[in-house]
Amino acid sequence: MEHENHTFSSDFILLGLFSSSQTSQVFFSFIFFIFIMTITENALMILLIHSESRLHTPMYFLLSHLSFMDILHISNIVPKMIADYLSGSRAISFAGCGFQIFLSLTLLGGECLLLAAMSYDRYVAICHPLRYPVLMRDNTSSLLAAGAWLVGILNSIVHTSFALHFPFCHSRAIDHFFCEVPAMLKLSCVDTSHYERGVYVSGIIFLLIPFSVISISYVQILLTVFQMQSSGARQKSLSTCSFHMVVVIMYYGPFIFTYMRPRSYHTPGQDKFLAIFYTILTPTLNPIIYSFRNKDVFVAMKNIIQNNFLNKK
């Protein structure tokens, strides 16, 4: 009981990414720029999808949810990093840490499932175009998006409850830039091996299975693309698939490496470096890779700009 009281009454300390060196100031400026860029491009993507009728398709509906997840995800982490750097305070309350864990796990898990749903959408569109209107009706994409959110939330509730239940009776300094489960487990003074097995099970459900679905979908897509008669269409499809897979690997690779290794194999520097990929970089790259390279998005942007210009006249 003494451990539990100590757990609930004390703040944690986030050691973070930045120090007082000149290099850290440059890195801080870079992170701040990435944050503004990510919020802007994802908000613009949501605005375009909801205001332009040509983008009212299952693919862009799923993309709008991806953009919303990316906005929430980076907003859950970077503003606290910025505030800590500017104020010099690195403390985070127990409730604040719990909220970071909950929202982070919700969005990480939900995005894993959503990316798998998006790959299925592309597979049906390219490999079975005649059946696309039947297999990807509006209610199907709504169910896929709602399922990603719901399963992500349920998984997060379970893991957040377990992670915060452990007594933290050693140092309360988290050697990370946000409250993440592997970093939290290092502070616990009890055996967490049984819980870690549960983390591996979740890793299989949210990481390995969706990554396998995505890989199989893109293999099927590539096989179909190679059979195309038009070299231009083949080259465009190959380029699109390549960029998509780069982003997927950048997201799933570090995520799998972080959450599916035993606690004894984790090092703070490595965990922080890997977390940058799936918490900061991929939310920035997703709208660029999935949307802004698309002709329909450029046409939608052009229409909105022209309509606003005409309205002002």
Side-chain angles (χ1 to χ4, degrees), residues 18-142:
F18 311 120
S19 63
S20 58
S21 67
Q22 189 70 29
T23 305
S24 290
Q25 292 177 14
V26 174
F27 189 45
F28 167 79
S29 301
F30 172 73
I31 294 294
F32 181 75
F33 172 76
I34 288 293
F35 172 68
I36 298 298
M37 179 180 172
T38 302
I39 296 295
T40 302
E41 62 188 12
N42 280 290
L44 177 60
M45 197 63 242
I46 294 172
L47 175 65
L48 286 173
I49 291 171
H50 284 275
S51 60
E52 183 61 34
S53 59
R54 72 168 56 235
L55 301 182
H56 293 173
T57 64
M59 179 183 73
Y60 286 108
F61 175 77
L62 295 175
L63 275 171
S64 69
H65 280 268
L66 181 67
S67 290
F68 185 55
M69 286 183 176
D70 285 340
I71 288 174
L72 290 179
H73 201 180
I74 200 166
S75 299
N76 181 43
I77 296 169
V78 174
K80 174 62 177 170
M81 295 169 61
I82 294 172
D84 287 354
Y85 180 79
L86 295 177
S87 67
S89 171
R90 298 182 176 184
I92 183 170
S93 66
F94 181 84
C97 197
F99 181 77
Q100 265 201 344
I101 293 174
F102 169 75
L103 190 56
S104 179
L105 288 177
T106 296
L107 298 170
L108 287 171
E111 190 161 327
C112 284
L113 299 178
L114 194 63
L115 288 171
M118 289 167 59
S119 72
Y120 171 73
D121 173 86
R122 292 298 82 208
Y123 162 74
V124 176
I126 294 174
C127 300
H128 303 284
L130 297 179
R131 300 177 61 191
Y132 185 82
V134 177
L135 294 175
M136 287 301 296
R137 295 188 295 266
D138 289 341
N139 62 337
T140 303
S141 57
S142 298

Side-chain angles (χ1 to χ4, degrees), residues 13-18 81 90 174-178 272:
I13 303 296
L14 290 172
L15 298 184
L17 284 173
F18 311 120
M81 295 169 61
R90 298 182 176 184
I174 304 172
D175 198 353
H176 213 309
F177 57 88
F178 73 105
K272 285 190 277 190

Side-chain angles (χ1 to χ4, degrees), residues 6 8 16 29 38 75 77 112 129 133 138 162 164 173 175 208 211 213 215 224 235 237 266 282 285 298 308 312:
H6 181 67
F8 280 89
S29 301
T38 302
S75 299
I77 296 169
C112 284
D138 289 341
F162 271 100
L164 296 180
D175 198 353
L208 296 186
F211 184 72
V213 169
S215 300
T224 303
Q235 186 175 0
S237 298
H266 286 257
T282 50
L285 293 175
F298 277 108
N308 289 336
K312 287 182 179 180

